[in-house]
Amino acid sequence: MADETIGVVGAGIVGLATAREIALRRPGTRVVVFEKEREVSRHQTGHNSGVVHAGIYYTPGSLKADLCVRGVSLLREYCQDRRLPYDEIGKLVVAVREDELGRMENLYTRAKNNHVPEVRKVSREEIREIEPHAGGVAALHSPRTAITDYPAVARAFAKDVVDGGGEVRLGFPVTSITTVPGGIEVASGQDRVRVDRLILCAGLQSDSVARLAQDRPEPRIIPFRGEYMLLKPDKRHLVRGLVYPVPDPRYPFLGVHFTPRVDGSVEVGPNAVLALAKEGYRRSRVSPRDLLALAAYPGAWRMAAQHWRTGIREYRGSFSTAAFMKDAGLYVPEVGVRDVVRGGAGVRAQALDRDGTLVDDFRIHQVGRITAVRNAPSPAATASMAIAEHIAAAVFDGSRGTRSGA
């Protein structure tokens, strides 16, 4: 197998980590990464908030839990070795109402089952010792939760691939995937490359690319835009570390939170509004093709029927800074509308089943010689190196398979 050519579609952090892992695991294997953009990490990786999640939120035994915990240790070591930013600023998950304490207790149990290091429950008074300007009645403290620069990590992964004899082919939008005798042909227009095996890590386009490979039609990708505010420079001192709400278990989103970045800025957000294009980073970006596909999918209507009230609330925050900051002010009461400016936005590739269920765990399918990553939401960046190990083991061993999360 050392003379094989392995193709990877997608030069986000998961695709590049996977290509790097294969190059390291099987010296002599030629690895080719296909990316439609002119640079790596243009989409989800490039709009990531930079948080290295410790594993607090995820169902014990799920792929998310297993790969997040493993991924943290791998990423920490990699960043230290390459002198990339990695700052353990810690996280508070804050309950602001008494009726949230039960959910917070459940999170604590999950965190302990997932072996999150040094996580502990803290009182109202201890919250103020950690975050003097934070509100709340109780919290979980995860002192080892960190921040990093994921685009820089992705660029380092790409360099590793090239240094190992592989190739990162930019400006190569995949237009067809064809099974041929003994391999697969990947095409971009008239440009064709034959590979022995193919791994799809296409993020926002994962369902579209999977269809080219004749994978099953579900889950579909529904794009949710997450918009951020930025604290004004003279207010950044009000937040020392990460300050998060206790999440609502009905949704795979973590709610509006405070996130210091490695560049010194502090983000507030994100909200979660339905984007009108898969790459709809701006409200004005509309894709008729993406909208028609969304309207034709029964799962989208079932999702809307279940969650329309939440959708209206999120859209209100998108257009009103006061509405956006209403919830944020519960966690850092001294921060108000006048203390923030509009920041950037990212788009989350949210997988959706036909019954309207928002898919929470990672999903990885095997289709002959093709491995398709169909859902890799947060903490995929944190877990990227562990996801790469998992995929590489499935590609080369077959014995571990591609265990797909529920």
Side-chain angles (χ1 to χ4, degrees):
M1 295 183 73
D3 294 329
E4 279 193 323
T5 298
I6 307 294
V8 178
V9 177
I13 197 167
V14 172
L16 291 168
T18 301
R20 173 185 177 274
E21 177 66 23
I22 289 170
L24 290 173
R25 186 175 292 221
R26 294 291 177 122
T29 298
R30 178 171 176 253
V31 182
V32 183
V33 180
F34 305 104
E35 169 56 47
K36 71 183 179 70
E37 305 293 353
R38 294 289 178 182
E39 58 185 291
V40 304
S41 70
R42 276 290 304 276
H43 293 290
Q44 291 186 105
T45 304
H47 295 82
N48 193 290
S49 63
V51 177
V52 182
H53 292 282
I56 294 173
Y57 306 104
Y58 317 120
T59 303
S62 66
L63 271 181
K64 268 190 175 184
D66 294 348
L67 298 183
C68 179
V69 173
R70 169 68 176 159
V72 170
S73 62
L74 293 171
L75 183 63
R76 182 192 306 114
E77 183 179 348
Y78 185 83
C79 288
Q80 291 170 349
D81 182 62
R82 302 307 171 93
R83 298 189 177 183
L84 293 168
Y86 192 94
D87 188 0
E88 292 183 342
I89 62 173
K91 174 194 285 186
L92 280 177
V93 181
V94 179
V96 294
R97 300 187 306 272
E98 297 288 338
D99 62 7
E100 294 178 327
L101 294 177
R103 280 190 278 147
M104 192 190 83
E105 186 67 33
N106 290 338
L107 274 186
Y108 178 71
T109 300
R110 283 191 173 191
K112 299 300 288 186
N113 288 338
N114 289 336
H115 307 290
V116 175
E118 301 175 34
V119 67
R120 66 188 182 99
K121 293 181 280 189
V122 297
S123 66
R124 184 194 303 265
E125 292 71 29
E126 291 173 298
I127 290 174
R128 308 300 183 271
E129 294 174 7
I130 298 164
E131 289 283 351
H133 303 280
V137 296
L140 300 182
H141 184 220
S142 171
R144 301 292 295 278
T145 298
I147 55 174
T148 189
D149 182 342
Y150 284 119
V153 173
R155 291 191 294 271
F157 286 167
K159 184 177 184 301
D160 291 344
V161 171
V162 174
D163 289 348
E167 182 181 2
V168 179
R169 298 195 63 169
L170 302 175
F172 193 103
V174 174
T175 54
S176 71
I177 297 171
T178 307
T179 300
V180 297
I184 301 154
E185 188 177 77
V186 182
S188 180
Q190 299 303 310
D191 196 356
R192 299 174 185 277
V193 179
R194 186 191 178 283
V195 299
D196 296 284
R197 298 173 186 271
L198 185 65
I199 302 165
L200 310 181
C201 302
L204 287 161
Q205 305 297 337
S206 61
D207 54 353
S208 301
V209 174
R211 283 197 296 273
L212 296 178
Q214 306 302 310
D215 190 15
R216 68 190 78 168
E218 279 86 33
R220 295 284 185 86
I221 293 300
I222 307 299
F224 281 90
R225 186 174 62 253
E227 301 161 330
Y228 290 89
M229 299 289 178
L230 288 172
L231 285 188
K232 292 180 179 179
D234 63 338
K235 297 294 182 177
R236 292 174 182 171
H237 70 280
L238 296 175
V239 179
R240 292 177 173 179
L242 300 152
V243 180
Y244 277 56
V246 176
D248 187 330
R250 294 174 297 173
Y251 306 105
F253 309 107
L254 296 179
V256 171
H257 46 269
F258 290 79
T259 307
R261 302 293 301 268
V262 294
D263 65 2
S265 63
V266 179
E267 290 181 333
V268 186
N271 58 1
V273 298
L274 186 66
L276 304 182
K278 281 189 175 178
E279 297 171 8
Y281 300 103
R282 300 186 307 275
R283 293 182 200 146
S284 58
R285 174 80 168 91
V286 179
S287 167
R289 182 179 65 179
D290 291 347
L291 281 178
L292 285 172
L294 179 66
Y297 185 49
W301 293 101
R302 291 167 181 149
M303 176 192 71
Q306 296 175 58
H307 304 303
W308 63 271
R309 290 182 180 85
T310 299
I312 290 173
R313 186 176 70 245
E314 294 292 310
Y315 267 109
R316 187 180 297 122
S318 179
F319 288 93
S320 166
T321 301
F324 190 104
M325 293 301 297
K326 182 179 180 181
D327 287 342
L330 297 173
Y331 300 93
V332 183
E334 293 176 50
V335 173
V337 172
R338 296 181 180 179
D339 302 317
V340 296
V341 295
R342 288 276 173 181
V347 179
R348 173 184 173 130
Q350 175 60 54
L352 182 69
D353 278 332
R354 180 170 284 267
D355 65 0
T357 300
L358 297 163
V359 181
D360 185 50
D361 205 358
F362 300 147
R363 281 200 187 169
I364 304 171
H365 295 174
Q366 193 79 34
V367 186
R369 291 172 174 261
I370 299 172
T371 302
V373 178
R374 297 297 300 270
N375 190 48
S378 178
T382 299
S384 57
M385 298 179 77
I387 295 171
E389 288 182 336
H390 179 80
I391 292 172
V395 170
F396 291 120
D397 302 344
S399 57
R400 283 178 59 181
T402 49
R403 180 164 65 92
S404 177

